[in-house]
Amino acid sequence: MERIRCVIQYDGTNYAGYQVQPNGNTVQAELEKALKKMHKGERVKVTASGRTDSGVHAKGQVIHFDTPLTIPESNWRRALSSLLPDDIVVSSAATVDPGFHARYDTTGKEYRYFVWNAQEPDLFKRLYRYHVRSQLDIEAMNLACEYLEGEYDFTSFCSPKTDLKGDKVRTIFKAEVKAEGPEVSFVFKGSGFLYNMVRILVGTLLEVGLGERQAADIPAIISAEDRESAGKTAPPQGLFLWEVSYD
Amino acid sequence: MERIRCVIQYDGTNYAGYQVQPNGNTVQAELEKALKKMHKGERVKVTASGRTDSGVHAKGQVIHFDTPLTIPESNWRRALSSLLPDDIVVSSAATVDPGFHARYDTTGKEYRYFVWNAQEPDLFKRLYRYHVRSQLDIEAMNLACEYLEGEYDFTSFCSPKTDLKGDKVRTIFKAEVKAEGPEVSFVFKGSGFLYNMVRILVGTLLEVGLGERQAADIPAIISAEDRESAGKTAPPQGLFLWEVSYD
């Protein structure tokens, strides 16, 4: 058996999220369906760095699986891509040490969130951007970002629907907001992220950007350790799992 | 009865084109369905400046219809938009002279076509861009554009499937190619365009951009008055009906 590691991209618009579930089409199910075809009907389990929610996209999701096939490393990418639908792409594939684990070995993740900040919506961006009509104060949001960087218990930024058993302490290495005309992008790099954490971070930062909260309110929101203290959960279509890091 | 003129946008991805047809969902059918709801089940016929093909988008399609309703002009846009699916948007609506006709009164149209010119495809642009891997010679394409401007019989750039009875003489006021990094855009302004004309113009220009034809071949292609003499028909998803002009 060989272990294969792939970097994949997907457009989450038409999926009920990454992870296989009883109802609805998922990215994992499409990957396993393609692999099943390559393996003469045998199921091949795919493990990802983590799940993404319905409507959330990925530019750099990482997966691994084990295979008895002896396909040259360089052919995996094309072979698998040709069996996948148009909205899932394999960016790279490589043979890795059988000890490699796409989920347990992650050392960090980067998420990006995109907002279309203009009076008028842009129809052709609706699947990949969250439309915010009122002008955002980028400086205020960046000030708030500074309070988010560091190691904290991020319970306030975690959906109560989480099935997480362990603690909610995570480290945000970097949080930053950039604007280029009406395109506003949020970058978050961290050790790991809780359920809906990035979308709640963005929802809270947007409230700062709209003047509904102050940047200096962030420490109190964090220390409340209460989901009610933070802002709304921003919608899924603006969110991209951008990169997953390993040692 | 009042005549209402609307500018509409649509994402053509999920439509079998603009015009109502027996099989498949169309933009016109969605518009008429929304108007039927507003008119207590009565059919309201919608007339557009022209059709667009399956997968083709519109930023500035113009339509008109007649209504017995006395809704203030300023409310039409929102009323109609609220009954339309997410991928059709009414940009503006106004009461016009009952003699106005969205199709017969056009004095010109602008189409734009977008190419993603990079080695790697961009998954998140696939619905709105045509991916061309090899680097395009923008200067050569602009040279070819100069030969296209003017009044000519454009039979060579018209699909043989056209049901047009009249002549194929049209005037191209402006043809231009611009590049911003991997984003290449084609702009065509003309008196009117034949069936598939813009897509055949783009397909031919791309062959010039790839060095498969010379810019100076264009006059001979035009004068052949033969579809076989021009290049391939570029795929629909890069094409946008950008603006329709009236006096």
Side-chain angles (χ1 to χ4, degrees):
Chain A
M1 294 289 262
E2 278 197 318
R3 182 154 288 191
I4 308 291
R5 171 194 191 276
C6 298
V7 179
I8 64 167
Q9 299 184 52
Y10 47 84
D11 178 334
T13 307
N14 297 317
Y15 294 99
Y18 173 81
Q19 195 170 56
V20 165
Q21 47 169 268
N23 306 311
N25 193 23
T26 67
V27 177
Q28 186 188 354
E30 290 292 341
L31 291 167
E32 294 188 348
K33 196 160 73 181
L35 285 166
K36 197 173 181 177
K37 277 186 200 152
M38 292 180 71
H39 291 78
K40 301 179 179 171
E42 289 290 316
R43 189 196 169 197
V44 176
K45 190 179 178 291
V46 173
T47 301
S49 73
R51 339 172 176 174
T52 53
D53 268 355
S54 177
V56 172
H57 315 290
K59 279 285 275 190
Q61 171 70 288
V62 176
I63 59 161
H64 82 252
F65 57 86
D66 292 324
T67 177
L69 301 182
T70 51
I71 294 174
E73 188 176 69
S74 57
N75 290 3
W76 268 104
R77 187 174 86 103
R78 212 181 315 174
L80 200 48
S81 286
S82 69
L83 294 168
L84 287 165
D86 273 0
D87 49 10
I88 305 177
V89 168
V90 179
S91 306
S92 69
T95 309
V96 284
D97 185 278
F100 171 82
H101 196 284
R103 181 163 167 217
Y104 299 139
D105 292 355
T106 61
T107 54
K109 277 187 185 170
E110 177 176 341
Y111 279 95
R112 296 196 183 181
Y113 193 96
F114 296 91
V115 164
W116 177 250
N117 187 30
Q119 184 62 33
E120 290 303 313
D122 185 330
L123 178 64
F124 302 98
K125 295 186 191 289
R126 76 192 187 289
L127 306 175
Y128 312 113
R129 301 288 181 266
Y130 173 37
H131 178 221
V132 175
R133 220 172 266 276
S134 307
Q135 191 163 358
L136 293 166
D137 182 339
I138 307 296
E139 210 183 336
M141 291 194 288
N142 271 314
L143 214 58
C145 280
E146 288 178 31
Y147 291 106
L148 290 169
E149 293 178 359
E151 185 186 59
Y152 298 106
D153 183 315
F154 283 102
T155 299
S156 298
F157 296 90
C158 178
S159 165
K161 288 181 203 150
T162 185
D163 52 11
L164 180 73
K165 304 286 189 296
D167 73 44
K168 290 173 181 138
V169 176
R170 298 290 182 276
T171 304
I172 295 184
F173 306 133
K174 186 182 169 183
E176 194 183 11
V177 189
K178 283 182 248 182
E180 261 192 68
E183 289 274 6
V184 177
S185 58
F186 296 75
V187 177
F188 299 95
K189 294 184 188 183
S191 61
F193 292 87
L194 303 163
Y195 187 46
N196 278 355
M197 180 166 160
V198 180
R199 290 166 56 188
I200 301 169
L201 287 168
V202 170
T204 308
L205 289 172
L206 287 174
E207 292 173 14
V208 172
L210 294 167
E212 296 164 8
R213 290 177 189 255
Q214 302 300 309
D217 295 347
I218 298 289
I221 296 171
I222 296 173
S223 58
E225 296 185 15
D226 175 9
R227 172 68 188 90
E228 294 297 309
S229 70
K232 288 189 203 76
T233 305
Q237 79 275 9
L239 184 59
F240 288 69
L241 170 54
W242 203 259
E243 204 181 341
V244 185
S245 310
Y246 298 89
D247 268 338
Chain B
M1 294 287 264
E2 277 196 319
R3 182 154 288 190
I4 308 291
R5 172 195 191 276
C6 297
V7 179
I8 64 166
Q9 298 184 50
Y10 47 83
D11 179 334
T13 306
N14 297 317
Y15 293 100
Y18 173 79
Q19 195 171 54
V20 165
Q21 48 167 264
N23 308 309
N25 194 21
T26 68
V27 176
Q28 187 188 354
E30 290 293 342
L31 291 166
E32 294 189 347
K33 197 160 75 183
L35 285 166
K36 197 173 182 177
K37 276 187 199 148
M38 291 180 73
H39 291 78
K40 302 181 179 169
E42 289 290 315
R43 189 194 168 197
V44 176
K45 190 178 177 291
V46 173
T47 301
S49 73
R51 337 171 178 175
T52 53
D53 269 354
S54 177
V56 173
H57 314 292
K59 280 286 274 191
Q61 171 69 289
V62 176
I63 59 162
H64 82 253
F65 57 86
D66 292 325
T67 177
L69 302 181
T70 51
I71 294 174
E73 188 176 67
S74 57
N75 289 3
W76 268 105
R77 187 175 86 102
R78 211 180 317 174
L80 200 48
S81 286
S82 70
L83 293 167
L84 287 165
D86 274 0
D87 49 10
I88 304 177
V89 168
V90 179
S91 305
S92 69
T95 309
V96 284
D97 185 278
F100 171 80
H101 195 283
R103 182 162 165 219
Y104 300 139
D105 292 355
T106 60
T107 54
K109 277 188 184 171
E110 177 176 341
Y111 278 94
R112 297 197 183 180
Y113 193 99
F114 296 91
V115 163
W116 177 250
N117 187 28
Q119 185 62 33
E120 289 303 313
D122 184 328
L123 179 63
F124 302 99
K125 295 186 191 289
R126 77 191 186 290
L127 306 176
Y128 312 113
R129 300 288 182 267
Y130 172 38
H131 178 223
V132 176
R133 220 172 266 276
S134 307
Q135 191 165 358
L136 293 166
D137 182 339
I138 308 296
E139 211 182 335
M141 291 193 289
N142 270 313
L143 216 57
C145 280
E146 288 178 31
Y147 290 107
L148 290 169
E149 293 178 357
E151 186 187 57
Y152 298 106
D153 182 315
F154 282 104
T155 299
S156 298
F157 296 91
C158 178
S159 165
K161 287 181 203 152
T162 185
D163 52 12
L164 181 71
K165 303 286 187 298
D167 73 46
K168 288 169 183 144
V169 175
R170 297 291 182 275
T171 303
I172 296 185
F173 307 132
K174 186 182 168 183
E176 194 183 11
V177 189
K178 285 182 247 182
E180 261 192 68
E183 290 273 7
V184 177
S185 58
F186 297 75
V187 177
F188 300 96
K189 294 185 188 181
S191 60
F193 292 87
L194 304 163
Y195 186 46
N196 277 356
M197 179 166 158
V198 179
R199 289 165 58 189
I200 301 170
L201 286 169
V202 170
T204 307
L205 288 172
L206 287 172
E207 292 174 14
V208 172
L210 293 168
E212 296 165 7
R213 289 178 191 253
Q214 301 300 310
D217 295 346
I218 298 289
I221 296 171
I222 295 174
S223 57
E225 296 185 17
D226 174 10
R227 171 68 188 89
E228 294 298 309
S229 70
K232 289 191 202 75
T233 305
Q237 79 275 9
L239 184 60
F240 289 69
L241 171 54
W242 203 260
E243 204 182 341
V244 185
S245 310
Y246 298 90
D247 268 338

